[in-house]
Amino acid sequence: MKKLVQTPVLVVGAGPVGLQIGMDLGWRGTDCVLIDEANGLPVIHPRAAGISPRTMEFCRRWGIVDQVRKFGFPADFDMSVVYCTSLVGHLIGREEYPPLQCQRQVPFSPENQWRCPQTVFDPLLANALRSYESVRLYYKHRLMAFKTSDDCVRAEVLDLENDRTSIIEAKYLVACDGAGSNITASLGIEAEGKRALSYSLNAVIDIPGFFKLHRMGEAVRYLFIGPEGTWANLTAVDGHDRWRFTLIGTEEKLELSKLDMKSEIRRAFGTDAIPFEIVAMAPWRRSESIAREYRRGRILIAGDAAHTMSPTGGHGMNTGAGDAVDLGWKLDAVLRGWGGAHLLDSYEAERRPVAIRNARNSSENFRTWLSAARSSDVTADTPAGHEARETVSRTLRESLRAEWDSWGIQLGYRYESSPICIPDGSPAPPDDPSDYVQSARPGSRAPHFWLPDGRSTLDLFGRGFVLLRLCAEDPDVGPLVRAATASRVPFSVVDINIADLRDLYGAPLVLVRPDGHTAWRGHAVPNRPDEVIDVVRGAGRGREHAPAGDERSTVPVSIAT
Ligand SMILES: Cc1cc2nc3c(=O)[nH]c(=O)nc-3n(C[C@H](O)[C@H](O)[C@H](O)COP(=O)(O)OP(=O)(O)OC[C@H]3O[C@@H](n4cnc5c(N)ncnc54)[C@H](O)[C@@H]3O)c2cc1C
């Protein structure tokens, strides 16, 4: 007889997104099982490295942000980007970026963007997960098949070590099985977008003492420009000897069996005198592809299984981290019984538009850096060559700036059409990819503000709903507290009387969800607090019927901080 394991949540795929779903559930004390067919050793082909400030904020919440900074990329490494015709050819431009330790602290977050290669980030998440009693993580376990019924999902899982099959019975299955997800395919969920923006071949290479072997200066990335445009790049993986060489081309040109990767690398180096060793190679397709559905009954889709985007900008995994945190509290709420019948549906309504937006921006970055650098004269030792390099340098600089300073993309996403946020009628601030202006307009990330005790406002959020009461007059919030209590919604009231904070949040009363997004704000307790609570916990009738916050209440309340 097959072994039977029961769990409320089965997460299939323990890549960075699956692991973050496990983290959020574990942090909430919710039972879950994660499986991955991989062996749990650091991945040979690390992809994600850029950790956005929002993902850093999540890591801060989970208590691992110091480890990301300590064990991630070396903090004193020069983060500049060089564009050149080859390492011994023309230097076209150099975009100066400071080492991580010298970054200017952004005013709108308690965290900065950071760099942590997947070879460190995934194991760090996996280790942290293991400290949660409620989480079980099994590597070398492959999902073979699954069946859904009215009350559960039954997954057939093969233990690759001993070739034994077991059944995992879960209330919900979260598909985090990456791009080309077999789970979405077997559900017949289609994707929309562009299947192939370009084809690339990655080679992970070791180059001991690289900086001493050329004169282009220290940098985290080198872009190689030929008459055909940007044809390759070299990116630091671990800040030591390991690098990733990416060759851009067509599907036919990049066929592994026909391609001499060593000679391509030598073309980029411009010399045979730089010794290197190829550790591994992998072809990949750059795409902009978004699943049409994020939920099918008891199955939820997250990370690359739901969306793929060009890595130009480094938004793929970070978008998946946003999925993880949106889903974590909703699954927890439903399993604990206070989440309403529509709460899990709001996951698609909130996260899919964000993926579409981020993927479009990433493709735009890619198009700019491809077209910016196309000039037949670029390698020539002539005045025309010089001019071509100047032009390429200028346009590449603009596109790289857009990638680096993408604060709006990273922090400014908001849940405009969410059925569980209550609009307050205020106009939407511009959705600028670079600029980010903090706003507590319902659906937005609740703004960061340093409190007198040294905490960030963000440190107040996470475990349940938080009602911020940001005024001196103490408006009576008893009706809201009682409505929350009646629905078993974890709810606390935090009093802070700081005028600047009130101005930043735009109202004296602001209701913040467990994921740190605002759900409602107003100048007085709403006249139907039970309806507000029902809407924000996914049990209400949606935004069209959302009650307005316009009526003062006189019921006394006890305040928890
Ligand atoms: C060159 C490159 C650079 C990038 N840089 C960045 C960056 O700087 N920042 C960023 O945010 N993003 C970046 N990305 C994107 C990022 O790598 C992905 O978005 C991210 O890895 C997706 O994580 P995931 O967990 O959804 O999927 P994956 O990392 O693909 O993980 C899926 C997991 O599912 C497992 N699995 C699959 N099928 C099964 C099965 N049947 N049973 C059990 N397990 C299964 C796999 O073994 C795997 O571990 C980059 C991508 C590329 C190509």
Side-chain angles (χ1 to χ4, degrees):
M1 207 164 93
K2 287 176 187 162
K3 190 174 132 197
L4 177 69
V5 176
Q6 285 178 315
T7 178
V9 183
L10 170 62
V11 180
V12 178
V17 175
L19 288 167
Q20 287 176 88
I21 291 180
M23 280 302 290
D24 207 64
L25 290 172
W27 186 74
R28 295 178 190 287
T30 301
D31 288 333
C32 66
V33 170
L34 281 83
I35 57 163
D36 198 298
E37 61 186 6
N39 58 16
L41 297 172
V43 284
I44 295 172
H45 287 281
R47 293 173 290 159
I51 313 290
S52 76
R54 189 63 180 143
T55 306
M56 290 293 276
E57 290 172 0
F58 301 149
C59 292
R60 177 186 177 95
R61 166 186 294 188
W62 300 323
I64 58 169
V65 76
D66 289 337
Q67 292 178 53
V68 174
R69 269 193 292 266
K70 184 168 173 196
F71 301 113
F73 204 69
D76 56 355
F77 199 94
D78 194 318
M79 298 299 288
S80 301
V81 178
V82 160
Y83 10 112
C84 56
T85 54
S86 77
L87 291 179
V88 297
H90 294 282
L91 173 67
I92 296 178
R94 179 182 175 86
E95 191 64 2
E96 297 285 350
Y97 293 106
L100 295 170
Q101 65 189 13
C102 302
Q103 283 184 94
R104 183 179 55 92
Q105 179 59 50
V106 291
F108 38 73
S109 173
E111 301 296 338
N112 256 337
Q113 54 189 347
W114 205 256
R115 194 170 176 85
C116 184
Q118 247 189 296
T119 42
V120 176
F121 194 55
D122 292 5
L124 199 149
L125 288 166
N127 280 341
L129 264 188
R130 291 193 178 99
S131 70
Y132 293 123
E133 269 178 26
S134 64
V135 182
R136 285 170 283 173
L137 168 61
Y138 300 117
Y139 285 110
K140 299 185 194 169
H141 280 67
R142 176 180 294 152
L143 176 78
M144 303 299 288
F146 62 92
K147 221 190 259 175
T148 48
S149 62
D150 284 350
D151 53 0
C152 72
V153 183
R154 276 172 76 86
E156 202 178 301
V157 175
L158 179 66
D159 179 339
L160 298 172
E161 206 145 53
N162 59 27
D163 213 21
R164 279 202 204 119
T165 302
S166 53
I167 301 294
I168 302 186
E169 203 176 84
K171 291 264 172 243
Y172 296 97
L173 183 153
V174 188
C176 295
D177 53 342
S181 157
N182 280 328
I183 300 175
T184 50
S186 59
L187 289 171
I189 294 179
E190 291 179 359
E192 63 182 283
K194 299 179 186 72
R195 199 183 153 270
L197 296 165
S198 81
Y199 290 88
S200 295
L201 187 58
N202 275 2
V204 177
I205 56 179
D206 282 342
I207 326 172
F210 178 62
F211 291 142
K212 295 199 183 93
L213 302 173
H214 64 86
R215 291 190 313 269
M216 285 296 160
E218 298 190 9
V220 75
R221 173 171 294 171
Y222 300 82
L223 298 182
F224 299 104
I225 321 293
E228 71 269 53
T230 310
W231 63 275
N233 67 67
L234 184 70
T235 304
V237 170
D238 60 1
H240 300 291
D241 292 343
R242 188 148 289 185
W243 293 78
R244 186 181 62 228
F245 181 79
T246 300
L247 187 62
I248 301 159
T250 59
E251 193 168 18
E252 311 76 57
K253 208 181 117 194
L254 295 181
E255 210 180 291
L256 262 176
S257 57
K258 294 187 193 145
L259 191 106
D260 180 358
M261 193 60 156
K262 283 191 170 171
S263 71
E264 300 288 345
I265 295 172
R266 285 194 196 102
R267 177 187 169 201
F269 290 178
T271 170
D272 291 350
I274 300 180
F276 63 89
E277 190 191 335
I278 298 182
V279 178
M281 292 212 285
W284 59 281
R285 187 165 33 86
R286 192 183 301 262
S287 59
E288 179 192 320
S289 170
I290 317 292
R292 284 187 195 277
E293 293 166 62
Y294 271 35
R295 179 182 182 196
R296 179 74 68 80
R298 296 187 171 273
I299 298 179
L300 297 126
I301 327 281
D304 274 19
H307 45 74
T308 59
M309 55 195 79
S310 168
T312 31
H315 301 311
M317 185 279 290
N318 289 306
T319 305
D323 299 344
V325 171
D326 193 77
L327 206 43
W329 76 271
K330 291 175 182 172
L331 280 169
D332 177 67
V334 168
L335 290 165
R336 289 185 195 277
W338 60 266
H342 315 299
L343 189 60
L344 287 176
D345 284 336
S346 71
Y347 168 62
E348 175 178 315
E350 295 188 346
R351 294 302 306 169
R352 194 168 178 275
V354 178
I356 292 171
R357 157 194 191 265
N358 294 2
R360 278 191 190 141
N361 177 266
S362 304
S363 297
E364 194 51 44
N365 289 340
F366 177 60
R367 274 189 289 275
T368 316
W369 71 245
L370 267 196
S371 62
R374 205 168 289 151
S375 162
S376 55
D377 289 320
V378 80
T379 53
D381 282 317
T382 60
H386 179 75
E387 201 174 306
R389 287 189 289 280
E390 293 270 293
T391 309
V392 167
S393 172
R394 221 175 17 253
T395 39
L396 269 179
R397 174 158 294 139
E398 276 159 29
S399 92
L400 287 173
R401 277 277 160 212
E403 276 192 44
W404 183 263
D405 292 329
S406 55
W407 306 112
I409 292 287
Q410 300 180 60
L411 292 157
Y413 60 86
R414 62 252 180 163
Y415 303 142
E416 286 294 335
S417 50
S418 171
I420 60 163
C421 294
I422 301 170
D424 65 354
S426 60
D431 187 12
D432 186 300
S434 304
D435 278 346
Y436 170 56
V437 178
Q438 297 204 86
S439 164
R441 186 169 171 269
S444 314
R445 162 192 172 272
H448 152 72
F449 184 91
W450 288 119
L451 298 170
D453 63 4
R455 285 182 301 168
S456 161
T457 41
L458 271 56
D459 299 331
L460 305 171
F461 312 136
R463 296 286 182 194
F465 278 83
V466 172
L467 179 66
L468 293 174
R469 189 158 57 170
L470 305 173
C471 46
E473 310 89 68
D474 279 1
D476 182 8
V477 295
L480 258 180
V481 176
R482 277 192 295 280
T485 307
S487 300
R488 291 186 294 130
V489 172
F491 194 94
S492 59
V493 181
V494 175
D495 284 308
I496 312 170
N497 181 17
I498 300 177
D500 286 350
L501 181 59
R502 188 165 53 249
D503 290 348
L504 179 62
Y505 272 70
L509 293 174
V510 183
L511 184 59
V512 183
R513 319 187 316 183
D515 61 349
H517 279 252
T518 54
W520 169 87
R521 70 176 171 180
H523 290 268
V525 169
N527 50 9
R528 292 294 311 269
D530 52 329
E531 283 190 9
V532 167
I533 293 297
D534 275 353
V535 170
V536 301
R537 71 183 182 94
R541 290 167 296 153
R543 58 199 283 118
E544 320 86 81
H545 307 287
D550 57 359
E551 202 176 87
R552 279 183 192 272
S553 162
T554 52
V555 186
V557 60
S558 65
I559 294 177
T561 51

